[in-house]
Amino acid sequence: MKQNIENGLRVTIIHPGHICGKGWIPIGPTANRNVDIFNAICQGKEIVLPDDGGATLQHVHSIDIARMIRLIIGNREAEGENFNIMCEKPITLRQYAETLYDYYGQERRIVYLKYMDFLNSLNKEDAIESREHIERSPNVSMKKAREKLGFVNQYSERDTVIEAVDSIMNLYLVLIGGQKV
């Protein structure tokens, strides 16, 4: 980056969390993009999470990314800087699942498996993705963007994932000719 700045290129880097919003398939409570988890929760079915469900995810709404980019463009304070952009607080896999069960008016039905047993219960692709997210378990600060740019997210973690999941579930229902849960 230093070389780019010295050569006159205005550079700012943003590091987004798990991008989602309306129409995006978010990383779900099983730490992968398999949408079956959302369908199971909407129907009040039992789901399986790893360990105690304490691993974290940190999503970011696509609109908040766009808002930050607009704030950065032409902003001399942002030149040569790196900024995180994600929801202010991470959400645990357990909190995520509970939030969705509550939102869809379903009883919480969560079973916990030891981490390796959980991974072994998934198909290969989902297990790889889950492992990558669980082992990183992000919890990143937005302090620099808030203090240097005055940036505050419009969307909370809860609002971000609910909007994304709700839009995916509504699309799924349209495709199968069902009715909203």
Side-chain angles (χ1 to χ4, degrees):
M1 182 178 321
K2 183 180 177 184
Q3 183 180 14
N4 288 330
I5 293 169
E6 288 172 356
N7 290 328
L9 180 62
R10 296 178 180 170
V11 177
T12 302
I13 297 172
I14 61 170
H15 303 280
H18 305 297
I19 304 169
C20 61
K22 188 174 183 177
W24 292 69
I25 298 174
I27 304 298
T30 51
N32 60 53
R33 285 188 179 86
N34 187 325
V35 297
D36 292 343
I37 188 74
F38 304 127
N39 193 36
I41 290 172
C42 285
Q43 293 179 18
K45 294 181 180 177
E46 182 178 275
I47 64 164
V48 177
L49 296 180
D51 293 329
D52 64 355
T56 58
L57 296 172
Q58 207 162 3
H59 297 86
V60 61
H61 199 290
S62 57
I63 289 174
D64 280 331
I65 293 174
R67 288 178 58 242
M68 179 177 262
I69 290 170
R70 286 188 67 197
L71 187 62
I72 287 171
I73 293 174
N75 185 336
R76 296 275 186 197
E77 290 293 313
E79 289 181 20
E81 298 287 346
N82 291 284
F83 296 100
N84 295 319
I85 174 68
M86 55 217 39
C87 292
E88 191 68 35
K89 295 180 182 177
I91 192 168
T92 67
L93 302 180
R94 179 182 59 257
Q95 290 168 331
Y96 192 173
E98 290 172 350
T99 295
L100 293 176
Y101 274 116
D102 294 349
Y103 178 77
Y104 288 106
Q106 300 293 344
E107 179 184 344
R108 298 173 180 179
R109 298 183 59 205
I110 305 170
V111 173
Y112 300 97
L113 288 179
K114 291 181 180 179
Y115 180 57
M116 290 311 297
D117 292 337
F118 168 77
L119 290 178
N120 290 331
S121 75
L122 304 174
N123 67 48
K124 184 179 178 179
E125 294 80 23
D126 289 346
I128 290 169
E129 188 174 20
S130 292
R131 175 179 236 151
E132 289 174 358
H133 288 108
I134 291 168
E135 290 182 2
R136 288 188 188 123
S137 201
N139 185 355
V140 180
S141 174
M142 287 287 297
K143 182 179 179 180
K144 183 177 179 182
R146 188 174 47 254
E147 290 178 355
K148 195 159 186 98
L149 302 173
F151 183 84
V152 177
N153 290 36
Q154 180 176 330
Y155 289 84
S156 69
E157 181 74 34
R158 179 189 181 282
D159 294 341
T160 298
V161 296
I162 284 176
E163 182 179 298
V165 173
D166 210 30
S167 71
I168 295 303
M169 293 311 300
N170 286 331
L171 176 61
Y172 172 76
L173 292 171
V174 167
L175 292 175
I176 64 167
Q179 296 180 13
K180 186 170 178 153
V181 194

